[in-house]
Each structure stands twice: as structure tokens, then as C-alpha cells.
Amino acid sequence: MAENWADRIAAFSRSPSDFLSSTTAEGFLAELLRELRDDRASYSVKVLLLSPLCEYPALLCPSVSVGEETALELMSVFAQCPSKSSQFRCQLLLALTSVLLCSSCVSTHSPASQDFLDLLLQIAQDTSDPHVDGALRSLRATACDCLRELETCCSGLLIQRLELLSGLRQQETSRLHQAFTGLQILGLRNAVYLLTQKAGAGAKDLKTLIGGNAAVAWEVEPDPGQLNNNDSPLPSPLILGPMGIVPTLQTGPDCKELRSLLSSLLEESYLLTPLGQAALLHGLIEVVAMVPGVSPAIFRAQLLRLLGTSEVCLLHTTLLMKAAFTDSLFSAEDEAFILKRLVVLSQHPLLSMSEKLFYMDCILHFPENRPISVGDSDETLPVLLTPRLAAPLVPTVFNDSATMLARLNLLSLVYLEEGEEGEGGRGLAYLYDHLTSLLQIVENQGSREMIVTFFRASFLFLFHFCHVERYSEGLTRKLCELYLRQTRLAPHVINLTNRTLDRLGESGWAVGLLGALQRVVTEAPLAQLTLQDLSWHLKILARVAEEGEISQQSTISFLFSVIASSSSSLCTSGDWRLGNAVLGVCRRLLVHPSLDSLLIPLADILQHLTCHYGDTDIQDHARLYYTLLTTLSREKLAGALAQGASEGGRQVKKRSLSSIMAESEDLTSALTIQRTERPVFKLVALDNYKPQQGTETGQERELDVDLHPNQTENCPGHEGALWEAYRAQFHRPGFASEIILDYQLIHAGAHDSYFDQLFSICLHFDLTDNHYEELSDISVPCLFRERAPPVVRLRLKPRQPYPTTLHVSAIFTSEDGLSWHTALPDVHVAFQQAFMPLPAPPAWGTQDKLRVFEGLWGEICSGKGGERDLADGAISLFCSQLGPVALVALVEKHFLPYLISDQSDKEEYKVLFFLPPQSHVLLKIRAEEDAVQFDISTDNWQLLPYINAFLLTITERSQQDVTDS
């Protein structure tokens, strides 16, 4: 039956986890590789089959061994693929690169990765192109891309091929010349960096490296991979500016070979595309910075075309060069020219907005030859940027928002340096006039974008010039007038005051603005007040009431006038939102420092709301506030209405009277389940497997295996009755269907005293596949750091006994009553954790179990199982070079609870694993002349990959234990 691979691949790409829930990654990978080897499949389908390996290599090849096997299969397919299938061969190289990198084969220097590296170099050197369509050229280009990816991710792979790459670069006449140039400079840069990390390296090592005899240069190192810090990518960029720390290689003046190579690359750089030139120059800059023996003057011949370039990438590289070499390469005239050019480009009409913003950012972070400030986080202006030079960059209302704000910020810095006299004063006046122009546009029903731009511009202006009183006071006055005309701007005004308080709290401007807003709101005529305007006014007054420095007498008078006036329709309307807004202002007044002077009028307001407001909920809250105000002291009142105390930056919910707090965002936050930033606790597996001497099982399992007495008596003597009794057990619901795993719940991560005592923990488990039944939540009463950790028992019911991963989360309560949600580290259920001994009745002896073992083995080998369908049965063989001592230790450590044969029988061990719900794995282990053979028989062939991996792991570990001892 032909499979619709397009639909399957599309389903996998949409959601790999959902797709693999119905199968396994190993099974899907095996299907892909089998179809790739099938000659009947078209190459268009095979290209599609490679997409999962390119996009999700770590998911399909999670280990080095799987990645190695997959890479060998793909290289075999590549070797058999005809040269005319260029697209498929290119895609194969990309898939191989992804698999080898993501499965850590390259970082562990596996044989497959070395073979693939040789294959890529062989393809790159192949200059014979029999096809007129250039199929081989595209394959060579792909090989170069793969080599660059390998060298970037695992630096040092090309360290012994630098001379080869140099030759290929010089011989190549096609566009691949640029690819070889990029490979050579990348390999050279990484090789020089590795030399800087090698103790005692010098000119001789560098000469050997460039001369192509890199194997000699590194032969003194026991492990070349250690030079690269576990083969992680090298830091990029290395150049951090003139004050940065760049590793150096002390070679002295003897760098003739390196200078010759760098000069050759620079001379050919004009043949490359702008991006290729930028990458080449970046690599060369880093090499020269790491080798002080090479003078930066080697770049001087390139400066003329770099300073006049119109390419963004080349100009950026020029600035990197200036940051690295400062006045050792760039003169004062060069510096002034670059700065003037950046100013011109920042307002050039033919450039895009993003390019102009980039050039302005370059001005703000200009690498000066002799910088006054060494800070690398704050924006600083170069000394040479005067008001006259920056004049073309003044903002106008015709600029787009981003450009206008960037120019305003830049010019503010310029005029801030100049002060309020002379050009600085005139420039400051211009910026204030510009801000006034924006305000007039907003007054005339400007767009939302213009409104946001105006308030951002106001913040920038205040950030730089808040100390200039005539402008800051003028802006306060204009903002109040603007608000009265357009009350819908209240959120923007409040946000401006909050941000200004955050950054300029000591200036007092924000408090002054809030006081001015209070005056204009409370003095406005009530006859012209609409309900919509009132809602915005109440938001402003609520924010004003949060400031203890501002008197609230006028706010109290305004509230009483609004609710008690005969002309006011507020109380009769019964609008819940407006009533809640009034209560919000009252609530803030209840905790205001001047509450004593506000007591009587505030009580009158609350009483009036209680008696006359048209909404019952508002009446109830007003009555509650009135009761609190008239019965509690000021300290108790503040405690009752406290929204939450801050301890260590964390909002803490108070137990006492928390339910009587007013509706607000803070209350919502306090009542919502909080989320922790990191796991608070974790599940750690307990070692239940404790073999006991003279017992057949050392693992406690809750199995209901009792049979009727007459069955037990007949079993030992009659094989038919024996089989009937064993099989009858599986007809009983729930028989041997659970895997019980015990874990300890312990605190995780750094010690945090806030979480020392936790209560009412509810653990929730999410499956990552459908191999197991859903798990119920588990409740743990408490977890105290100073007490013994509680034991959590998981009862897993497998559908298929495969390894799986459980996502675990928990909801718990902290000591102060706040509820929290935390994500725990995943729980990994290994294949061997599903192993159970033969579920035989207690009355059975060793001979009875041996009869069951032999009967199962015979059924699986013959494929005939009576009532059972053994079409899924399979036999296999595993071999290992274990010695007699290691074999005995292996059996005693791993197989003793599942041993069917007599332990004293050293000729052949018979082991049976039962895996719920009804799978068996049978092993016959015997020592031959040169190896130990594990004959495997199972009634579920899909378990074979896991059995093989399990046996490989324990045999290698056992052999290592014997060697160490």
C-alpha cells in the first residue's frame, strides 16, 4: 500500500509531538531511511523525506549513536545517488550536516563526522563539471555552505586544511571563489584564536599552521577538542571596542607568512560582493587584533574605498575597524570625515528609514580615537559632533515617528552638552517649539500614532531638560490645557507622570503636573461636565491621591459636589463603573497621610453613596468603607486596606481582611495564582530495586496473582494446566497492568526561605505521547525543608511499554497564604523501569517458571501462540565482549530479580522480563569462546531497539566497572 508521504510529512511539521504520539521517533526514522533507500521512490519524494531530518534532527536523532547510524545510512544513499539528481544530493548534504551537528557527532569527533568532512572537501575540490547546467557547481556550493556551518559550530575542524582552502581559493574562477575565501578566513580566524588559548604558542606555531602542517602543531595536545572548550562556537564578535579584552598571540615581528596571506586576501576582496567583503574584513580585523605582530596599517590601502562606500555593511565594518584600531589606523581627519559622512547619510533623502536610523545610532555609539567616556551602555556623543554639524538633523513634523524621536534624542544630547547659552540655548528653544507644534497637531484631532509620538517626545525632552524651569513649567501648563480639551488622553498623561517619576523622581516635575491637573479638574465648571469626562477626571484624581505631598481638600470638595449636587445625575444613573471609580478615589484617600483633616467630609461622601447611589454593590462597598473609617484607627485602617506588602520584590497577600479590599488591578493580582520564575521543587526517583538474597524478586510490586487452590495443585504436574493457569490471569481486569514508581519530592535550586514551608501541593502530570494512560493529580499535604521529604507514588498504566517523558507542574500555597504555580523538571521514565518479574502464582516453583519460559520461547520462534496472535514476535542476537567475572557481576546486578534458571547454572542464564500490559522479553545468556551471546526473544518486535540500547548500556558499564576495580 502506497503511503501518502506528503500528508505525513506535513502532519509531522505541523506538530512533531502530536505526530510522534502515535508512533516513536525511532520507528519514524526507520521508515524515512527505508524509503530513502527504495529505488522505486521518486527523487522529488525523497527530497520531501529529508525535510524532517533538516528541521528536527535533534528530535529524530537524540543521541550520538543514533546520529552516527543515520549519517552512515545517508552517506550510503548519497554514494548510490546518480550525479544528475543535483537537488536531492544537495539536500542530502544539508540533512547530513544537521544530523551530525545536532546529535553531537561532530563535537565528539565520531568516525562518521570525519568521513563526512572528507566527503565535503572531496566535493569542493572536484572541478570537473560534465553537465552544462552546472549541477556539480551547485553541489560544490552546498558543500562549502556545509563546511562553513561545521566550522562555525565546532571550531577547529578545518585547522589542518587551511593550505588546501588557500589553494582552492586561488584556483577557483567561478563565483565559488567567494565561498572558498569565506571558508579560509573563518578557518584562519578560529585557528588563530585556538592558538591564543594554547599555553606557550608563538610565531613558530603560527608559521606551522599557515604552512599546512597543522598536525605537527597540535601533536603535543592529548585532546584537540579540549582546545575549543568542548567544541562550542567561538565568541563572536571578539572585538569589543578599544577597551575590550581581546586574546592575543605573542609572535614578535616574525609574521611574514601571515602578513603575506592577509595581503593576498585584501587584494582580492574587491572581487567579492559587499556582504562577502564585510564578512572577510570582519574576520581579518579579528585576526590582526589577535596578532599584535601584524600592524593595522595593512588595512590602510583599503580605507579610501571603505570611507566612500555606500554599502551599509561595509560602513559598519569600517566602524568596527575603527573601534578595534582607533588612532593606530585612523587619523583625526579620517575621524572627522566619517562623522560628517554619518550625519549626511542620516538625513539623505534617497535612503530608507531603517538605514537613516542605523546611521543615527552609529553617531550615538561612534568609536572615537580618544573617547572621554568608557561606558558602553549609555548613549554618548562624539566630541566632534557640534550643534553646527548636527543642524541638518533637527526634527520636523514631517518626519515619521521613529525618525523624529531619534533626531529629538540626538539633538537633545547635542544641546545638553552646549548648555543654555549661545547655540545651545537657540537649539533648546527650537526643540521646545517643535514639541509645541506636535501638541497643536494632537489638539486638532491628531492620529493615535501622533498622540503616542507626542508623549514620547515629551518624555525625551523632560529626560534631558527637566532642570530648565521655564520649559518644564511651560510644558506642564500646556499639558493641563490639552487634557481639559481632550480628557480621553488621561491614560497617556498618567503614563507620562509614572515614567517620569521612575526616571526623574528627584526633579518633582511629575508631582507638579499632578497638582496642576488636580487644580484644572476641580476648578472646571460642573455644568459642562459630562459622564464621560467625569470618568477620566476620576482616574486622574485617583492617581493624584496616591501622592502624599499633594493636598486633597479640593478633591474632596469636587467629589462631594459631583455626588450631592442637585444638578448631578451620577447617583441616580447607578452606573457601576462610575461608582467604582469614585470609590477608587475614596479608597486612596483612606490611606492618605492627611486623612485626619479629610475625615468628616470623606465620611459624608461615603454615607451619601451608601444612602443614595443607584447600585447596590456600590452602596455595600461605601458602607464598608464608612464603617472602617469611623471605627478603626489610622494604623489599623491602613493595614485593612493594604493591597500587599513587598518582600524581596514579591507581592505577598495578607490573610487578614484581604476580602474587603476594593476592586482594583492590585486586588486581581493578589487573588490570582502567581507563577514562579524557576522550579521550586522537583521529583527525584527512589531506588526501589533492592535484590534480596534467596528471593526471586527484590522489587515490591502490587500484583494480584492469587489463583484457586485446585489450579495451584494441578499446575506443577500438567503443562497444559500450567499454561491455562498463567493465561487465565490476563483475563482478569487490571491484572499486572500498573507500573509503580516511587519518587521523593524535594526542594530545587538555590535556597529561598520564602518557600521553606509549602502546603496543599497538587501535582499535575501531562503526557508527551499516548503510550500511557492519563495520570490523576496527586496531592501532597506539605513540604518542609527541615523535614524528611514526602514520597510520591506514580501508578503508570502502559498502553505500550515504551520510555516516555512526563511534564510535571504543581499548584501550592506558601506560608503567607498566597497561591503559586510552578513547573517542575520533566520526569523521564526509562525503558527498564517497566520491567517486572514473571507474574506467576506464589505456589509455583522454579521448574514451573522454566516451563513457562520454554513454552513462550517456542511459541515466539514458531509464530504460533494458540489463543494469542504472535505475528509481532521476533528473535534477535546481541553480543558483547564480557569476561566471566563481568558476566557474573552483570547478572547479579541487573538480572537477578528476573532470573528464571538456577543462579548456580553458569552455562546458560535464562531471564524473563514482563512488561505491562502483556509483553514479554526473554533472554538466554551464555558465554562463548570470544564473546557473550544474548539470545533475545520477544512477542513485541517494536521493543527490540530499546532492548538493544539497554543491553549496550549495562554491558559497557559492567565492563568498565570490572576494569576500574
Side-chain angles (χ1 to χ4, degrees), residues 223-252:
D223 182 8
Q226 292 178 356
L227 292 172
N228 199 16
N229 193 19
N230 298 327
D231 296 276
S232 58
L234 299 188
S236 181
L238 291 173
I239 307 303
L240 303 176
M243 305 303 293
I245 301 175
V246 179
T248 57
L249 178 65
Q250 301 301 327
T251 60

Side-chain angles (χ1 to χ4, degrees), residues 230-463:
N230 298 327
D231 296 276
S232 58
L234 299 188
S236 181
L238 291 173
I239 307 303
L240 303 176
M243 305 303 293
I245 301 175
V246 179
T248 57
L249 178 65
Q250 301 301 327
T251 60
D254 186 16
C255 296
K256 180 173 63 177
E257 292 80 4
L258 181 60
R259 275 194 294 269
S260 175
L261 176 59
L262 298 183
S263 298
S264 173
L265 289 169
L266 284 171
E267 289 172 2
E268 298 177 7
S269 63
Y270 69 93
L271 298 173
L272 310 181
T273 63
L275 284 175
Q277 292 182 51
L280 172 64
L281 289 170
H282 195 180
L284 292 175
I285 292 169
E286 293 186 330
V287 171
V288 174
M290 289 187 288
V291 185
V294 178
S295 171
I298 196 172
F299 295 105
R300 193 169 298 281
Q302 309 294 324
L303 284 186
L304 183 60
R305 68 185 183 92
L306 290 176
L307 293 178
T309 183
S310 60
E311 298 290 342
V312 175
C313 56
L314 288 178
L315 184 58
H316 182 246
T317 303
T318 306
L319 293 173
L320 288 176
M321 189 183 299
K322 190 175 188 307
F325 305 124
T326 62
D327 55 358
S328 60
L329 180 60
F330 292 84
S331 64
E333 291 77 12
D334 295 333
E335 185 174 59
F337 177 80
I338 295 175
L339 188 58
K340 290 178 181 178
R341 183 163 177 76
L342 287 174
V343 172
V344 170
L345 293 173
S346 297
Q347 43 92 36
H348 199 286
L350 297 182
L351 296 180
S352 65
M353 181 189 70
S354 57
E355 289 177 308
K356 295 176 185 178
L357 292 175
F358 169 74
Y359 290 129
M360 276 190 279
D361 191 70
C362 289
I363 295 175
L364 287 175
H365 301 88
F366 186 75
E368 296 181 90
N369 284 349
R370 300 181 182 277
I372 297 176
S373 173
V374 297
D376 57 355
S377 58
D378 296 329
E379 296 173 338
T380 56
L381 289 178
V383 176
L384 295 178
L385 186 64
T386 62
R388 185 180 299 276
L389 180 60
L393 297 179
V394 292
T396 68
V397 294
F398 302 106
N399 298 133
D400 59 90
S401 297
T403 302
M404 183 191 301
L405 293 173
R407 289 189 173 193
L408 178 63
N409 183 46
L410 180 64
L411 269 296
S412 296
L413 288 170
V414 171
Y415 298 137
L416 186 64
E417 292 289 333
E418 293 296 321
E420 301 180 42
E421 303 298 331
E423 293 187 19
R426 292 193 295 272
L428 180 54
Y430 175 84
L431 294 182
Y432 183 75
D433 291 342
H434 173 71
L435 204 59
T436 304
S437 301
L438 293 178
L439 185 143
Q440 292 174 354
I441 295 176
V442 172
E443 283 183 344
N444 295 321
Q445 303 300 319
S447 64
R448 183 182 184 279
E449 181 184 6
M450 183 55 67
I451 292 173
V452 173
T453 302
F454 164 70
F455 281 98
R456 288 179 175 176
S458 299
F459 174 77
L460 283 174
F461 185 85
L462 290 168
F463 183 75

Side-chain angles (χ1 to χ4, degrees), residues 46 60 177 341 400 538 620 642 685 771 841 904:
K46 290 185 177 182
L60 298 178
H177 174 270
R341 183 163 177 76
D400 59 90
L538 292 174
D620 291 342
H771 302 326
S904 61

